[in-house]
């Protein structure tokens, strides 16, 4: 189409993918559709006021009762889990990545990031198990390849 679209945003409450799709629709003569909000900010707010368990309950309830308002994708949960990992909240990050793999059992990145959290947390047997799941789910994807390298590294540290 000979178009270059560069999308920069510090607005974490809307899906960048949907913004991009809307831009392409406009280029193609279509109409703009309001992007769905990312669920990550809502869950993070619940966690700050209450607990990660409550945030997970909110996620599941919203997904059942309001399936179109939010982006419930695994990548939205990944974003939240990465934020929690940055703050070294390993317990909460683990819970979020477990949720990501629960709602999408074939999501190799969920297992990769779960392994990464366990590794940072110092729980090496759990890290190895999660990395092995990532490789099992998709050994040819970036997540599976990265997990395989981490497995080699962790096993060499024993």
């Amino acid at each position: 189409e000979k178009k270059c679209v560069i999308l920069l945003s510090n607005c974490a409450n809307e899906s960048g993918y949907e913004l991009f799709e809307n831009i392409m629709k406009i280029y193609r003569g279509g109409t703009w559709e309001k992007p769905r909000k990312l669920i990550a900010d809502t869950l993070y707010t619940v966690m700050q006021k209450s607990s990660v368990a409550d945030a997970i309950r909110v996620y599941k309830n919203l997904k059942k009762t309001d399936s179109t308002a939010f982006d419930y994708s695994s990548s939205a949960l990944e974003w939240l889990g990465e934020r929690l990992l940055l703050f070294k909240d390993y317990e909460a990050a683990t819970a979020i990545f477990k949720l990501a793999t629960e709602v999408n059992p074939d999501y190799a990145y969920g297992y990769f990031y779960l392994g990464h959290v366990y590794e940072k947390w110092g729980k090496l047997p759990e890290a190895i198990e999660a990395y092995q799941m990532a490789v099992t789910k998709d050994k040819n994807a970036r997540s599976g390849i990265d997990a395989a390298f981490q497995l080699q590294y962790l096993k060499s540290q024993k």
Side-chain angles (χ1 to χ4, degrees):
E1 294 180 50
K2 296 190 180 200
K3 292 174 178 52
C4 176
V5 176
I6 300 171
L7 176 63
L8 302 173
S9 173
N10 65 352
C11 184
N13 63 350
E14 292 185 0
S15 171
Y17 300 111
E18 289 184 10
L19 289 172
F20 173 78
E21 288 298 320
N22 272 318
I23 291 168
M24 293 309 294
K25 283 180 187 176
I26 291 168
Y27 272 129
R28 295 176 183 135
T31 58
W32 175 269
E33 292 177 24
K34 186 174 191 257
R36 294 174 293 163
K37 295 178 183 177
L38 290 177
I39 192 71
D41 287 337
T42 300
L43 297 181
Y44 188 70
T45 300
V46 171
M47 290 170 57
Q48 287 180 312
K49 293 178 181 177
S50 182
S51 68
V52 68
D54 282 343
I56 290 170
R57 278 191 287 279
V58 165
Y59 173 89
K60 289 178 178 181
N61 186 48
L62 284 172
K63 193 171 179 183
K64 278 184 198 171
T65 61
D66 196 0
S67 63
T68 60
F70 291 95
D71 176 357
Y72 296 100
S73 68
S74 297
S75 60
L77 291 174
E78 181 182 311
W79 188 88
L80 175 58
E82 287 178 328
R83 180 191 293 182
L84 295 167
L85 182 58
L86 181 68
F87 294 136
K88 298 182 180 179
D89 189 346
Y90 302 125
E91 189 173 339
T94 298
I96 294 301
F97 287 122
K98 282 184 176 181
L99 175 62
T101 60
E102 176 188 322
V103 298
N104 187 353
D106 293 325
Y107 185 55
Y109 268 111
Y111 294 102
F112 172 77
Y113 282 113
L114 184 57
H116 189 64
V117 172
Y118 280 134
E119 184 179 351
K120 293 285 187 186
W121 199 359
K123 296 186 172 201
L124 298 186
E126 292 89 344
I128 289 170
E129 184 179 330
Y131 285 140
Q132 285 172 331
M133 283 298 294
V135 172
T136 300
K137 294 298 176 183
D138 197 348
K139 66 182 178 186
N140 297 318
R142 178 65 191 228
S143 55
I145 293 166
D146 289 347
F149 280 113
Q150 285 305 109
L151 279 170
Q152 284 182 329
Y153 171 73
L154 291 178
K155 288 179 178 180
S156 73
Q157 299 301 305
K158 286 185 171 184

